[in-house]
Amino acid sequence: MGHVGLLMAKVKVGVNGYGTIGKRVAAAVSAQDDMELVGVTKTRPNFEAKAALAKGYDLYVPDESVQAFKDAGVEIAGTIKDMYKKVDIVVDCTPGNVGEMYKAQYLEAGVKAIFQGGEDHSLTGISFNSTANYSESWGAQLSRVVSCNTTGLLRTMYPIDKALKVEHAFVTIVRRAADPGDSKNGPINGLEPSVKLPTHHGPDVQSVMPWMDINTMAVKASTTLMHVQTVVAQLSRESSTEEVLGILREAPRVRLVSSKEGIKSSAQIMELARDLGRDRSDMYEIVVWEDGVKVVGNTLYFYQAIHQESDVIPENIDCIRAMCKVEQDVKKSVAKTDKALGISRS
Ligand code: NAD
């Protein structure tokens, strides 16, 4: 299927919602040789709209915003409905629960759509993660790339479960309070527990791995860089730290780091991403502290860090390939996406 895919026309992609996730999806689509970015949508002619134009992206806007863009002298290529006519698939990156309002439009226009983790699983009936269930979205009309934290849990827990069968897992998530470009959200002081328990992250993992017994709690912390998760998993048999490290070393889009090499916190992980010269200093991989992995009998303990702005981006690209039937082999899609985004093991 892979070579057939290359002979086929490029998949035409539109991005609805040009924020933290949408900007990155647009850039990642542009970096693939089997996809074409038709354009992105903006609701206001602000600095981000101008920056998108400067990158060469066509802008599509809601009917009610056309005049504001004209008044501001920001060039548009058409309305969002015009964009539907030119694309095979829309990646919906609007804020949580806004995507839901667009579902009927996508279906009516006959375009496929990918939603993000801010929407409920029930909106699409299929949720996506490259490592765990690529083929479930094969040819699908609608799918949903799960949230940043859930993507992190699936990338590591799926291969661990496959090898060692997880009886049950308990995860505490220390969440970043706001993204770096956001000056509205908080707290900027204090630690804020999510009191609605258990948190939604466990059921979200189960939307892809329904058999997994997993419970989660979360605390918001005054940081913008990354989330950190502490995982405690009960395995079906005794294992060893070395065995689990071997599994994680082979796991796609998982990067092992060590506090001994100076990576003591999320701050140094972001510094590493800058040093790697990644677009927007992104760390697409889930980062596990090698010296923070420990197995005692049947119990596995480890820490992992999640760059919330970017870990779901490669998944969106693979999801496009699965839904548009471009590549049947998940390994080939993952390798292609990773090469285009500069994700390698070193
Ligand atoms: P964001 O607020 O940064 O971006 C959303 C964009 O959509 C903004 O540019 C906004 O102007 C635009 N928008 C708002 N209403 C719109 C409308 N009616 N039509 C078109 N565009 C509209 O949000 P985000 O952080 O990029 O989140 C997008 C989705 O991705 C959410 O479902 C979120 O849960 C999910 N997600 C976010 C993160 C994260 O950490 N930021 C991580 C993973 C998944």
Side-chain angles (χ1 to χ4, degrees):
M1 201 68 194
H3 62 286
V4 176
L6 287 179
L7 296 176
M8 283 174 4
K10 292 183 180 189
V11 177
K12 295 188 173 56
V13 185
V15 173
N16 190 17
Y18 193 70
T20 304
I21 300 299
K23 290 174 187 182
R24 289 170 168 80
V25 170
V29 166
S30 303
Q32 312 302 315
D33 64 12
D34 52 358
M35 298 178 194
E36 178 190 331
L37 181 72
V38 169
V40 303
T41 72
K42 278 300 298 172
T43 53
R44 284 171 299 134
N46 64 1
F47 76 97
E48 288 167 306
K50 291 177 187 166
L53 269 183
K55 275 179 164 278
Y57 301 162
D58 280 348
L59 295 182
Y60 293 87
V61 308
D63 294 347
E64 61 276 17
S65 302
V66 171
Q67 195 58 44
F69 279 76
K70 262 191 194 146
D71 293 347
V74 177
E75 189 192 338
I76 62 166
T79 64
I80 297 183
K81 288 191 174 140
D82 293 329
M83 186 178 85
Y84 298 152
K85 293 183 199 135
K86 300 183 192 168
V87 301
D88 302 307
I89 186 163
V90 172
V91 185
D92 186 297
C93 303
T94 60
N97 301 321
V98 174
E100 192 179 340
M101 300 183 326
Y102 278 103
K103 179 177 161 180
Q105 286 188 25
Y106 302 146
L107 291 176
E108 198 189 317
V111 296
K112 292 177 185 272
I114 299 177
F115 296 90
Q116 306 302 314
E119 309 300 329
D120 290 338
H121 172 73
S122 58
L123 186 70
T124 55
I126 309 176
S127 290
F128 181 87
N129 175 263
S130 306
T131 306
N133 74 342
Y134 181 88
S135 59
E136 270 184 52
S137 291
W138 183 252
Q141 189 70 22
L142 304 173
S143 190
R144 177 186 78 123
V145 170
V146 294
S147 76
C148 47
N149 272 305
T150 308
T151 296
L153 287 167
L154 291 167
R155 289 237 190 103
T156 49
M157 295 305 274
Y158 183 85
I160 290 170
D161 180 62
K162 206 167 166 198
L164 298 168
K165 175 117 190 57
V166 173
E167 299 284 354
H168 57 90
F170 178 73
V171 179
T172 300
I173 302 170
V174 182
R175 296 176 56 196
R176 64 89 182 95
D179 285 337
D182 174 4
S183 54
K184 278 200 314 274
N185 289 305
I188 59 162
N189 182 31
L191 298 165
E192 188 180 301
S194 299
V195 291
K196 202 166 159 236
L197 291 172
T199 62
H200 69 274
H201 307 93
D204 215 25
V205 170
Q206 288 163 341
S207 71
V208 173
M209 294 175 69
W211 62 90
M212 175 69 107
D213 181 357
I214 180 165
N215 282 296
T216 51
M217 294 175 83
V219 178
K220 255 199 229 173
S222 314
T223 181
T224 61
L225 302 179
M226 300 182 90
H227 306 298
V228 169
Q229 301 176 340
T230 75
V231 182
V232 184
Q234 214 57 46
L235 308 173
S236 66
R237 65 164 168 82
E238 290 198 1
S239 178
S240 66
T241 303
E242 262 320 305
E243 185 176 18
V244 171
L245 284 173
I247 296 165
L248 292 174
R249 273 188 203 108
E250 294 302 313
R253 297 173 183 153
V254 172
R255 177 181 280 261
L256 292 177
V257 297
S258 161
S259 68
K260 292 188 201 100
E261 62 182 18
I263 301 189
K264 296 199 181 298
S265 76
S266 51
Q268 289 84 42
I269 296 173
M270 287 289 89
E271 190 62 12
L272 170 62
R274 290 182 201 107
D275 285 351
L276 290 171
R278 296 275 177 84
D279 194 31
R280 294 178 196 271
S281 309
D282 284 340
M283 181 56 81
Y284 305 105
E285 304 96 313
I286 304 310
V287 179
V288 177
W289 274 274
E290 191 168 15
D291 43 352
V293 176
K294 177 95 180 163
V295 176
V296 182
N298 288 24
T299 309
L300 161 66
Y301 306 85
F302 68 99
Y303 298 98
Q304 60 180 16
I306 280 106
H307 185 221
Q308 75 282 350
E309 296 179 284
S310 71
D311 71 324
V312 299
I313 305 308
E315 253 65 13
N316 273 278
I317 298 299
D318 293 334
C319 192
I320 293 171
R321 284 206 189 92
M323 288 171 71
C324 296
K325 297 187 173 182
V326 177
E327 177 55 71
Q328 220 162 4
D329 183 343
V330 57
K331 284 198 178 127
K332 285 189 184 154
S333 179
V334 166
K336 195 169 172 61
T337 305
D338 288 1
K339 188 160 181 244
L341 296 181
I343 303 172
S344 69
R345 298 216 164 243
S346 51

